[in-house]
Amino acid sequence: MSDRGSLLRAGAVASVLLFAACRMEQRPMPTVTDRPFGKLPDGTEARLFTLDNGRGMRATITNYGGIVTSLVVPDRAGQGADVVLGYDSLAGYLRTTPYFGALVGRYGNRIGKARFSLDGRSYTLAANDHGNSLHGGSKGFDKLLWEAAPFHDTAQAGVRLHLVSPDGDEGYPGRLDVTVTYALTDASELRITYAATTDKPTVLNLTHHGYFNLAGPAAGDILGHELLLAADRFTPVDSTLIPTGELRSVAGTPMDFRTPVAIGARIGEDDLQLRFGKGFDHNWVVNGPAGTLRLAARVREPRSGRVMEVRTTEPGIQFYTGNFLDGTIVGKGGTVYRHRAGFCLETQHFPDTPNHPDFPTAVLRPGQEFHSATVYRFSAP
Ligand code: GLA
């Protein structure tokens, strides 16, 4: 090979490397910024964090209730739209909210008759839902101001939220130390990890209560979304949505989402469970071993092409179709949230587990560390 040839080749290699280096430098990195979001009645200030994954996804998250107030996701044409329900300002969340985008605790979902016993002692909770206790009681984690620490690296931008719930808070025993981390990754995921410790035996069920509409804001109801639930069984409920204790096969019932089905296809069927839930408002038993991150759900919105996959380490997932939305809430940008304007996929322990010794335990004891993870991954193939 001539000297000139190898020189030319070396030159070409050098320019390719330089081009790649420039591209790498130009590649937008995940970022996080922070601004005031308004004041709580006691004068303390809530913050709003904007997470940007550098690849077209953006989330805003406030440390009031750990609420994801917006989540912008590209459609198949690369056009971003906000796919979660909520309010434009803190005032909306303070006035009234059906848990839009919030972190729910100490016990997400219901505890029957608002009581349970643990190690021979009985505990009474706020009966805030037809005699049962719902979503942590009157002032659950969705209504608390969390300490917040933003972070970012080359692959993700996030915010770490922390709070201490004192012994006896909302009737629950033990001083609970909780950390929830939200991260928006360069793999188009919203990752939520939960960690907790206690100084007395207690029960715990932490979840995220996002209402999704993958078609974007003001898109109408979610009945056209196609849903897959990786679950062979669900927990049937009584008329107040407390599980009977049975793990029932979904086969031959409107609860069968083992292959994708439009949410609206069977929601109107004359079925006792659907009547109790006024639609879908049930917990499915996620297939595969709890404690490992595995597929729980996949939702596809045909018009936009957006797909959301939910993976979790939790044993169950509550699928709720916004049955209580009735057009009285005016949300972001003046959008009226009508019946079934959003759906929730809340990864969780089964409802009323503290009163069902057969369900995977929700007990946390001193010396143990609770860990759980849920990943919402978006694409538009
Ligand atoms: C959960 C419950 C529903 C309803 C909503 C909030 O998803 O399962 O029954 O309470 O929260 O309105």
Side-chain angles (χ1 to χ4, degrees):
M1 195 192 303
S2 74
D3 277 348
R4 187 151 185 271
S6 54
L7 255 178
L8 276 178
R9 192 161 319 164
V13 170
S15 34
V16 166
L17 286 176
L18 192 66
F19 180 68
C22 290
R23 282 296 294 266
M24 271 166 69
E25 257 176 38
Q26 275 170 13
R27 198 190 106 187
M29 298 275 284
T31 56
V32 52
T33 55
D34 168 12
R35 63 182 167 87
F37 190 48
K39 289 210 162 90
L40 302 182
D42 70 359
T44 48
E45 187 183 73
R47 309 289 302 175
L48 190 70
F49 298 87
T50 302
L51 282 42
D52 191 321
N53 79 341
R55 300 193 171 193
M57 260 183 85
R58 252 176 358 263
T60 53
I61 299 175
T62 173
N63 61 333
Y64 174 74
I67 297 169
V68 177
T69 61
S70 72
L71 183 64
V72 172
V73 176
D75 65 8
R76 65 159 81 81
Q79 193 64 43
D82 185 3
V83 299
V84 295
L85 276 51
Y87 296 105
D88 287 319
S89 69
L90 180 65
Y93 294 100
L94 292 176
R95 239 187 338 264
T96 171
T97 167
Y99 306 90
F100 282 150
L103 290 179
V104 178
R106 288 190 190 189
Y107 201 94
N109 216 315
R110 294 171 177 78
I111 295 188
K113 303 201 167 53
R115 54 173 193 250
F116 68 97
S117 54
L118 177 60
D119 297 341
R121 282 195 58 179
S122 44
Y123 298 92
T124 305
L125 311 166
N128 57 344
D129 188 72
H130 305 285
N132 303 317
S133 192
L134 177 68
H135 293 334
S138 336
K139 194 171 182 187
F141 292 175
D142 60 295
K143 296 178 184 68
L144 300 179
L145 195 67
W146 298 62
E147 288 166 48
F151 63 90
H152 69 114
D153 58 34
T154 54
Q156 58 180 348
V159 58
R160 189 162 293 120
L161 302 172
H162 173 254
L163 64 74
V164 174
S165 166
D167 187 13
D169 192 10
E170 285 292 333
Y172 291 93
R175 174 186 187 273
L176 195 74
D177 190 298
V178 190
T179 302
V180 180
T181 306
Y182 280 111
L184 201 62
T185 75
D186 62 358
S188 303
E189 302 161 331
L190 178 66
R191 283 182 165 259
I192 314 176
T193 48
Y194 304 84
T197 55
T198 181
D199 67 355
K200 285 185 190 159
T202 192
V203 295
L204 178 65
N205 191 21
L206 300 173
T207 190
H208 169 73
H209 207 300
Y211 285 66
F212 298 92
N213 188 327
L214 300 183
D221 67 48
I222 44 74
L223 299 178
H225 288 57
E226 294 153 7
L227 172 70
L228 173 142
L229 289 171
D232 297 337
R233 294 170 300 168
F234 73 108
T235 50
V237 289
D238 68 15
S239 63
T240 69
L241 301 188
I242 296 297
T244 60
E246 181 190 350
L247 305 185
R248 186 180 295 170
S249 166
V250 296
T253 79
M255 306 292 166
D256 190 350
F257 287 95
R258 291 173 297 177
T259 54
V261 183
I263 292 175
R266 297 182 302 216
I267 201 168
E269 280 184 14
D270 185 19
D271 173 272
L272 188 62
Q273 288 297 313
L274 287 175
R275 230 178 297 144
F276 286 161
K278 300 185 170 48
F280 296 106
D281 193 354
H282 298 79
N283 168 70
W284 274 254
V285 181
V286 177
N287 291 342
T292 60
L293 204 59
R294 65 218 190 283
L295 185 74
R298 182 183 295 121
V299 193
R300 180 173 164 272
E301 198 286 307
R303 279 176 296 156
S304 64
R306 289 191 187 87
V307 173
M308 180 174 85
E309 261 178 20
V310 187
R311 286 171 202 279
T312 189
T313 60
E314 284 293 312
I317 189 165
Q318 181 87 4
F319 170 51
Y320 168 59
T321 40
N323 311 316
F324 300 125
L325 297 176
D326 59 4
T328 51
I329 291 181
V330 181
K332 283 184 269 188
T335 305
V336 176
Y337 294 138
R338 298 188 201 286
H339 198 214
R340 298 177 176 152
F343 66 87
C344 303
L345 286 167
E346 306 154 55
T347 55
Q348 58 169 9
H349 278 59
F350 305 167
D352 200 28
T353 291
N355 294 310
H356 292 274
D358 295 349
F359 287 175
T361 184
V363 174
L364 183 69
R365 296 185 179 278
Q368 295 179 329
E369 267 189 45
F370 172 81
H371 283 287
S372 147
T374 292
V375 180
Y376 295 90
R377 182 168 176 276
F378 296 86
S379 59

